[in-house]
């Protein structure tokens, strides 16, 4: 058995159980269930309006499901507010980039580390020895991440002046700075050119392989999903349409029909 098959035989890292979301009269998600296993890159696909972003927002706790549960390592995350998901190991990026535009790259990445530093205002002001140590640890972490994502040359630049592709990398750096177990990526390929998408795919795979991160990838870019995902879940009209390997999902007649009936392809 491969490493991935072994991981799949064990308990899931994340379990989505019968999740439904209703907005007014609209059923955006209707009883969706699937598992994410350690070390997987899971691609979440579906035509426009399928419910991908709604599910993503449930995982990052911006939306509260109307029914169902989401379990991380067997424990429900649904009572946890969105600003407290980083500390249990869920990191995310945003579809439209949500950085502090007037701060430097370095400071934006530093913000990411705070989710995992046990420090507060009083101990910061007292400058206790362990806080100084943790400051040193934060600096080391930030430097390591900047080097890993090749952002050292722009570390002191203000984010707002950087190209969109670089800003997306900074956002990835910020998410990784909290050492997430799961990284939620919302259309990371959006706005990137062909070459940039290829580089991004390689980077996502390296992050999974080298940093022990499990990845949920919500993406319209079929080429990217099919080339890097181990497992694909397809949604349509709020329901799970199919799941399996990229090849299985691509060949699924219901998936083909759903895409032919949409303006996506
Ligand atoms: N905040 C909201 N209020 C009301 N309806 C919503 C809200 N968010 C999503 N919806 C509706 O829920 C359904 C699913 O939307 P969602 O944004 O999750 O789809 P998606 O798969 O992300 O689509 P896209 O590929 O276009 O991003 C759609 O019918 C959408 O109009
Ligand atoms: Mg969406």
């Amino acid at each position: 058995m491969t490493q991935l098959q072994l991981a799949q035989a064990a308990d899931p890292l994340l379990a989505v159980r019968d999740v439904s979301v209703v907005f007014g009269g609209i059923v955006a998600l209707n009883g969706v269930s699937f598992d994410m296993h350690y070390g997987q890159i899971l691609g979440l696909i579906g035509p426009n309006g399928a419910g991908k972003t709604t599910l993503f927002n449930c995982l990052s706790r911006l939306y509260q499901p109307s029914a169902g549960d989401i379990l991380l390592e067997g424990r429900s995350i649904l009572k946890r507010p969105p600003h407290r998901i980083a500390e249990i190991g869920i990191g995310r990026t945003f579809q439209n980039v949500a950085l502090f535009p007037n701060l430097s790259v370095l400071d934006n990445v530093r913000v990411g580390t705070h989710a995992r530093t046990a420090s507060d205002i009083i101990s910061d002001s007292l400058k206790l020895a362990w806080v100084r140590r943790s400051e040193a640890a934060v600096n080391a972490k930030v430097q390591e991440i900047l080097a890993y994502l090749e952002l050292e040359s722009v570390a002191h630049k203000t984010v707002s002046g950087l190209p969109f592709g670089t800003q997306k990398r900074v956002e990835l750096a910020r998410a990784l700075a909290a050492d997430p177990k799961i990284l939620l990526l919302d259309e990371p390929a959006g706005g990137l050119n062909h070459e940039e998408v290829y580089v991004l795919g390689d980077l996502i795979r390296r992050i999974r392989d080298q940093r022990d991160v499990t990845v949920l990838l919500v993406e319209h870019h079929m080429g990217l999903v099919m080339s890097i995902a181990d497992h694909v879940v397809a949604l349509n009209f709020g329901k799970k349409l199919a799941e399996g390997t990229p090849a299985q999902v691509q060949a699924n007649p219901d998936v083909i029909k759903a895409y032919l009936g949409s303006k996506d392809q």
Side-chain angles (χ1 to χ4, degrees):
M1 272 212 277
T2 64
Q3 283 292 91
L4 193 62
Q5 284 168 331
L6 279 172
Q8 286 177 356
D11 290 335
L13 174 57
L14 187 95
V16 175
R17 290 282 172 268
D18 263 324
V19 167
S20 295
V21 175
V22 183
F23 295 113
I26 298 170
V27 183
L29 283 178
N30 190 350
V32 172
S33 297
F34 63 88
D35 288 344
M36 268 182 86
H37 291 278
Y38 290 90
Q40 240 175 9
I41 297 177
L42 188 142
L44 185 62
I45 64 164
N48 291 116
K52 304 181 294 296
T53 299
T54 303
L55 182 60
F56 187 96
N57 285 338
C58 289
L59 295 176
S60 59
R61 299 293 302 113
L62 286 181
Y63 290 170
Q64 185 70 7
S66 324
D69 206 351
I70 299 171
L71 309 162
L72 179 72
E73 294 176 320
R75 281 201 296 270
S76 178
I77 66 165
L78 294 187
K79 290 210 167 59
R80 202 162 263 277
H83 64 276
R84 294 199 51 205
I85 59 156
E87 61 197 67
I88 55 167
I90 301 179
R92 68 164 299 178
T93 64
F94 292 80
Q95 194 166 343
N96 297 312
V97 178
L99 295 163
F100 296 103
N102 299 320
L103 291 186
S104 68
V105 168
L106 191 136
D107 285 339
N108 268 281
V109 177
R110 184 186 294 274
V111 169
T113 65
H114 282 253
R116 288 266 173 149
T117 354
S119 150
D120 58 34
I121 292 162
I122 296 170
S123 53
D124 269 350
S125 61
L126 290 173
K127 288 282 172 211
L128 300 172
W130 68 268
V131 172
R132 277 200 302 276
R133 261 203 308 279
S134 96
E135 258 178 33
V138 163
N139 289 337
K141 181 87 214 168
V142 170
Q143 290 307 329
E144 185 264 328
I145 298 276
L146 289 176
Y148 189 77
L149 292 177
E150 295 174 13
L151 289 166
E152 287 160 307
S153 61
V154 293
H156 297 287
K157 294 228 161 92
T158 303
V159 156
S160 60
L162 296 171
F164 187 64
T166 311
Q167 292 192 14
K168 290 197 128 181
R169 209 137 39 90
V170 176
E171 218 188 11
L172 200 51
R174 182 178 62 181
L176 286 180
D179 278 332
K181 290 177 193 157
I182 296 187
L183 185 58
L184 308 174
L185 302 174
D186 196 4
E187 301 210 21
L192 302 185
N193 65 33
H194 184 73
E195 171 64 19
E196 287 169 331
V197 171
Y198 179 80
V199 171
L200 175 73
D202 201 50
L203 181 61
I204 294 172
R205 234 188 327 225
R206 268 198 295 137
I207 289 171
R208 185 272 304 272
D209 293 343
Q210 299 171 347
R211 305 188 77 93
D212 244 349
V213 178
T214 301
V215 179
L216 179 96
L217 176 65
V218 171
E219 192 47 78
H220 266 294
H221 196 293
M222 257 340 125
L224 176 64
V225 175
M226 295 304 168
S227 64
I228 69 168
D230 309 293
H231 193 77
V232 176
V233 172
L235 299 179
N236 195 26
F237 295 118
K239 288 192 171 173
K240 186 171 77 179
L241 196 57
E243 74 173 308
T245 62
Q248 285 167 343
V249 170
Q250 247 176 333
N252 184 299
D254 292 334
V255 174
I256 295 169
K257 208 159 82 195
Y259 273 93
L260 286 177
S262 82
K263 7 184 224 329
D264 282 2
Q265 278 194 346

